Amino acid sequence: MEAATDWLVNALYATPLVAIIPLVILWFGLGVSAKLFIIIILAVFPILINTIAGVRDVPAALIDVGAAFDVDARQVFTKIILPAASPFMMTGRRLGLGRSIIGMVVAELFTEI
């Protein structure tokens, strides 16, 4: 899954917002939906990238312990991977919040009637 989507996530994250705004105005107009899309598109990538890094950083020894205790895949995810990746997810949320505030200001400037 990572090999199929990593290039897309990094390419969209590196795309400047100024290049996306005309497309957003064409797709959504000048209303609230365009502003919401700009805010979401700016906030989602730091959260997504940090969550992927957190899941990738889970030690294999923890997953091996889960396998030794004969837990299923859902329990490995909820009891091992999510708690181990939660600091990364919180960091992504913090970075996403800052970027979403910037997106809110940019959206107000560019989509004002």
Side-chain angles (χ1 to χ4, degrees), residues 50-51 53-55 58 80-93:
N50 278 301
T51 301
V55 170
V58 174
I80 297 172
I81 294 176
L82 276 181
S86 65
F88 289 88
M89 293 189 301
M90 291 300 124
T91 301
R93 288 180 65 187

Side-chain angles (χ1 to χ4, degrees), residues 2-109:
E2 180 184 359
T5 60
D6 187 48
W7 66 273
L8 181 64
V9 169
N10 286 325
L12 289 174
Y13 181 64
T15 304
L17 180 65
V18 177
I20 296 174
I21 296 232
L23 293 174
V24 171
I25 292 173
L26 284 174
W27 292 336
F28 297 105
L30 296 173
V32 176
S33 59
K35 294 174 186 177
L36 188 62
F37 182 79
I38 292 170
I39 293 168
I40 289 172
I41 206 76
L42 273 176
V44 76
F45 288 111
I47 297 169
L48 185 64
I49 290 171
N50 278 301
T51 301
I52 291 169
V55 170
R56 191 182 307 133
D57 197 51
V58 174
L62 290 178
I63 297 173
D64 291 340
V65 169
F69 282 106
D70 197 31
V71 297
D72 60 351
R74 185 180 62 84
Q75 287 178 330
V76 167
F77 182 72
T78 58
K79 303 284 185 190
I80 297 172
I81 294 176
L82 276 181
S86 65
F88 289 88
M89 293 189 301
M90 291 300 124
T91 301
R93 288 180 65 187
R94 189 187 72 209
L95 293 172
L97 178 67
R99 285 183 56 110
S100 66
I101 292 172
I102 292 170
M104 184 173 53
V105 171
V106 168
E108 282 294 324
L109 286 174

